[in-house]
Amino acid sequence: MRLSRVSAVLFVIFVLVSWWIIVTPITNLLPDASNHAADIDFLFKFMSVAAVAVFLIVQGFLLTFALKYRRRPGQSVDTLGSDIHGNTRLEIIWSVIPAIFVIVLTVMSIKVYNDIIASHKGAYVVNVTASQFQWACEHPAYKISESNTCHMPANEQITLNLRATDVIHSFWVPEFRIKQDAVPGYPTAMHFIATRVGEYRLICSEFCGYGHSAMYAKLFVMKPADFVTWAKQQQSQSTGAIGAVSYKKDVSAIFTAHCAACHIAGKLGGLSLGSYSGLVAGGAIVPGSVFKPGDHKASVLWKIIQPGTGQPGGAQMPLGGPYLSKHEIDTIAAWIDQGAKNN
Ligand code: CUA
């Protein structure tokens, strides 16, 4: 008797903990920010509640029968139960009910899935490139691109074309509720409307190497008018010629922010510097190859700071970011084209 009381208490604790484990995520979802979120949240909650119900019914029967048919004091160990050969009605019931349930869940899931994968004509297109370990977003409509940020207009149909340059990554913004792998050699896409203006975290949710946990970017959903203003600003920044670049004023700060942690007094990737004046003095740290004054496109320094390239020898810099913005990359390019002087 005492043992069954202990079992009963343990069972109640078990049910409460299970309930807490299931209910906590349901009631603590992040705010939703895409047109698919409500449907997906409903499906998630519906399935979770259904799972809890099944769990309670099954465990309820288990407990009831365990207590009801327990061996009582004075009862012989060898007492045999009555010989039962099935119960057709019961067996049909416990087959049909779960089958109906699975069919309902399947139909609901297919409906949501079809909504998610449906592409829409006239959608605003963003080409997203994932590479170890950074994100780049390109806007064909404005011919601009950004590195480790991604901007998009709210309340407009969006198509994200995803590609990966090295291994599989996965595009995930938890508030959007949808997720899509970026696979090398196999273009994938996401279709949605971002419904809430704000700043979000774009996370890589597929293990992709030693920098995976740091592979995230800021994603901005903007009011459509603000987005257009932003895009035009970027356009003028990228097409407008960068004026005279000063090494001391403009370039040195970029190097300090992005490169110094590893390459000053370090010995990484063949580029080991006492200070950046060494780099400016002649570019001979990796003999003849760091940069070619007057020609940024022929300079390794420029190649390795491009998002998504693995130059040289698969450099992915700097590990964990913050990576260089387009404006910073353009500034370095202009500085090289202007002769890479220590001015
Ligand atoms: Cu990219 Cu994980």
Side-chain angles (χ1 to χ4, degrees):
M1 185 63 194
R2 197 183 298 149
L3 190 65
S4 53
R5 217 174 268 169
V6 171
S7 327
V9 170
L10 283 178
F11 174 76
V12 170
I13 292 171
F14 181 56
V15 169
L16 289 178
V17 170
S18 309
W19 181 261
W20 177 75
I21 287 172
I22 294 168
V23 168
T24 311
I26 294 181
T27 52
N28 287 285
L29 289 173
L30 283 169
D32 58 278
S34 90
N35 59 325
H36 302 306
D39 285 346
I40 292 169
D41 285 354
F42 176 77
L43 201 57
F44 172 65
K45 289 173 184 173
F46 184 80
M47 285 185 179
S48 301
V49 169
V52 171
V54 169
F55 172 80
L56 289 179
I57 291 168
V58 172
Q59 294 301 320
F61 277 123
L62 190 75
L63 181 72
T64 307
F65 292 131
L67 290 176
K68 189 170 176 191
Y69 297 108
R70 69 188 185 277
R71 196 202 311 161
R72 291 164 203 276
Q75 206 169 21
S76 160
V77 182
D78 297 327
T79 308
L80 285 177
S82 52
D83 202 1
I84 297 169
H85 290 277
N87 182 320
T88 310
R89 195 152 57 124
L90 261 182
E91 282 164 25
I92 288 174
I93 289 173
W94 74 46
S95 302
V96 168
I97 291 179
I100 291 174
F101 213 75
V102 168
I103 290 168
V104 168
L105 289 178
T106 305
V107 169
M108 287 169 70
S109 303
I110 288 174
K111 197 201 157 291
V112 174
Y113 179 72
N114 283 338
D115 282 350
I116 292 173
I117 61 165
S119 61
H120 297 258
K121 271 196 178 155
Y124 182 78
V125 174
V126 183
N127 294 327
V128 179
T129 303
S131 51
Q132 289 171 318
F133 300 94
Q134 54 186 316
W135 296 98
C137 288
E138 188 215 339
H139 303 261
Y142 295 94
K143 295 195 170 57
I144 53 172
S145 54
E146 41 181 334
S147 177
N148 277 289
T149 54
C150 203
H151 291 70
M152 53 188 65
N155 303 319
E156 273 178 37
Q157 190 68 47
I158 307 251
T159 291
L160 295 186
N161 293 317
L162 297 173
R163 64 181 207 104
T165 58
D166 34 42
V167 297
I168 299 178
H169 304 270
S170 184
F171 185 106
W172 185 38
V173 175
E175 288 86 347
F176 290 174
R177 301 292 194 271
I178 45 176
K179 191 191 269 187
Q180 176 64 55
D181 278 2
V183 185
Y186 182 81
T188 52
M190 292 172 95
H191 312 279
F192 61 94
I193 297 170
T195 52
R196 205 186 287 265
V197 170
E199 183 187 322
Y200 301 92
R201 208 173 213 219
L202 160 56
I203 299 168
C204 178
S205 68
E206 180 77 40
F207 180 70
C208 54
Y210 60 90
H212 160 73
S213 64
M215 186 171 165
Y216 47 79
K218 283 182 177 173
L219 187 143
F220 299 92
V221 175
M222 305 171 89
K223 283 185 197 148
D226 293 350
F227 176 75
V228 172
T229 309
W230 171 84
K232 296 217 162 126
Q233 247 169 25
Q234 297 296 305
Q235 244 175 354
S236 63
Q237 250 185 31
S238 65
T239 53
I242 290 177
V245 178
S246 149
Y247 173 77
K248 284 174 187 140
K249 210 160 75 60
D250 307 312
V251 180
S252 161
I254 299 174
F255 284 168
T256 306
H258 297 286
C259 324
C262 298
H263 291 288
I264 292 288
K267 280 196 175 149
L268 275 142
L271 180 55
S272 167
L273 302 173
S275 73
Y276 282 108
S277 54
L279 183 65
V280 181
I285 294 89
V286 178
S289 66
V290 173
F291 54 74
K292 195 174 166 207
D295 187 358
H296 74 266
K297 290 211 164 149
S299 300
V300 170
L301 178 65
W302 183 78
K303 287 179 188 166
I304 60 179
I305 56 178
Q306 298 303 300
T309 56
Q311 298 247 15
Q316 312 287 346
M317 295 183 287
L319 176 57
Y323 303 98
L324 283 78
S325 68
K326 174 152 176 33
H327 186 71
E328 287 170 325
I329 293 173
D330 290 347
T331 302
I332 291 173
W335 172 68
I336 296 173
D337 288 343
Q338 291 167 21
K341 290 182 219 128
N342 187 7
N343 52 347

